[in-house]
Amino acid sequence: MSFFSCEEAECQEQQSHIRLRIKPREKDLGEFSVRRVLPAARQRMVGPFVFFDHMGPAEFPPGSGIDVRPHPHIGIATITYLFEGEILHRDSLGVVQAIHPGAINLMTAGNGIVHSERPGSDFDRLSKLHGIQSWIALPAEQQEIPPDFTHYAAADLPQWESGGVTFRLIMGELAGYHSPVKTYSRTLYADLNVTEQAEVRIALQEQEHALYVAEGEVSVDGEGVPSGVMVVLEGSEDLLLSASETARVLLIGGDPLGERHMYWNFVSDSLERIEKAKDDWRAGNFPGVPDDDEFIPLPGEE
């Protein structure tokens, strides 16, 4: 994928790349709600992205915050990316890592990991939380790899400007830039901060792609896309991204990996593997999280 601004090339009218619009479903997590974009009824995945949640923006009074008890995953890698706030990650590998805006927590579940997400150092004061939680499915031959966790500082991610848009490359390759964040299949994930009157063309490759508008409103090939909407794209010609106001857009995509089954936090191409994970969780066969031993049962088994 590459891009160039409309100042560098003539911007002519073209057929829209938008194939599908997805409006998120509100999910109540107790302390706050999220907007669940993927999986959707008409679009289960985009490339390897099998799950995409928009968290917040939420504001917490002192002594309150995100409080996700230890829970298991298999078959995926999770990517936590914050716009605002702080989350303290703990997992069964013994990792304790706070994440701040612009950084990446990449947790590879593989054959099984357990983690919790608790309030950070801002717990005792008024705090805010805003960001994206996404999962990428692992290729079939890598679903049972050992679990892993890597933290990438915000300064590690490439950033550049073109056509009034500031690009931050979270995963993959774009416009000659390469993110250091590990991928398991061809994956693209970028954060686009769009200024007022920005106009830029993006050249699509033969992959699956989608744009999610986290803030503001943009136009894709002249079609308005408001905040809180994901548009699934098609075609390999250049698309035109523009805006009359400031906006924040997430670009995701990559090679499709085939069908995946999902139950709770378990993802696999095998229903039998998911049943085994359910049995293992009930039986206590997953490793525990040091210093965070609170248990959460399977859905419907509370």
Side-chain angles (χ1 to χ4, degrees), residues 20-268:
L20 178 67
R21 292 172 180 258
I22 300 173
K23 294 183 178 180
R25 310 179 310 281
E26 291 284 340
K27 288 285 190 178
D28 186 0
L29 298 185
E31 293 288 345
F32 69 109
S33 64
V34 300
R35 283 172 273 182
R36 182 147 301 162
V37 187
L38 294 176
R42 296 176 60 192
Q43 187 78 36
R44 305 298 295 176
M45 300 172 66
V46 175
F49 286 83
V50 70
F51 181 92
F52 192 97
D53 260 8
H54 183 180
M55 304 181 293
E59 186 172 276
F60 301 103
S64 183
I66 186 172
D67 196 23
V68 181
R69 293 175 286 173
H71 58 281
H73 291 280
I74 65 166
I76 57 169
T78 70
I79 306 113
T80 304
Y81 183 71
L82 297 182
F83 306 143
E84 190 172 20
E86 180 180 341
I87 295 175
L88 183 64
H89 163 98
R90 288 189 178 94
D91 66 37
S92 51
L93 298 175
V95 174
V96 180
Q97 176 66 60
I99 183 171
H100 299 96
I104 293 291
N105 275 1
L106 177 69
M107 185 186 76
T108 302
N111 60 23
I113 197 169
V114 181
H115 78 127
S116 65
E117 293 167 301
R118 305 287 195 178
S121 61
D122 54 1
F123 181 66
D124 293 329
R125 59 182 185 273
L126 182 70
S127 62
K128 297 181 180 181
L129 184 66
H130 191 197
I132 304 292
Q133 180 87 62
S134 55
W135 304 350
I136 52 173
L138 299 176
E141 67 276 9
Q142 298 187 66
Q143 291 179 114
E144 298 298 324
I145 61 176
D148 185 50
F149 179 91
T150 308
H151 174 79
Y152 300 87
D156 294 338
L157 302 184
Q159 180 170 308
W160 67 98
E161 191 277 337
S162 179
V165 177
T166 299
F167 292 79
R168 295 194 77 239
L169 185 57
I170 299 170
M171 303 180 81
E173 301 180 9
L174 181 62
Y177 293 88
H178 303 262
S179 169
V181 178
K182 185 174 183 179
T183 59
Y184 293 93
S185 63
R186 195 161 61 150
T187 304
L188 176 63
Y189 191 6
D191 176 14
L192 281 58
N193 276 281
V194 184
T195 61
E196 186 178 350
Q197 305 305 321
E199 198 168 64
V200 68
R201 281 190 179 274
I202 302 175
L204 300 179
Q205 295 182 357
E206 292 298 331
Q207 302 176 42
E208 294 183 341
H209 296 99
L211 286 169
Y212 176 71
V213 183
E215 298 175 310
E217 181 172 350
V218 300
S219 291
V220 176
D221 298 330
E223 292 190 38
V225 184
S227 176
V229 172
M230 175 176 281
V231 289
V232 182
L233 307 172
E234 64 181 354
S236 57
E237 302 85 5
D238 305 335
L239 70 81
L240 176 62
L241 177 68
S242 59
S244 58
E245 61 182 78
T246 59
R248 188 163 206 161
V249 177
L250 285 306
L251 170 63
I252 67 171
D255 291 332
L257 297 180
E259 183 181 9
R260 289 294 185 273
H261 305 287
M262 181 186 296
Y263 169 85
W264 193 34
N265 305 303
F266 304 141
V267 177
S268 177

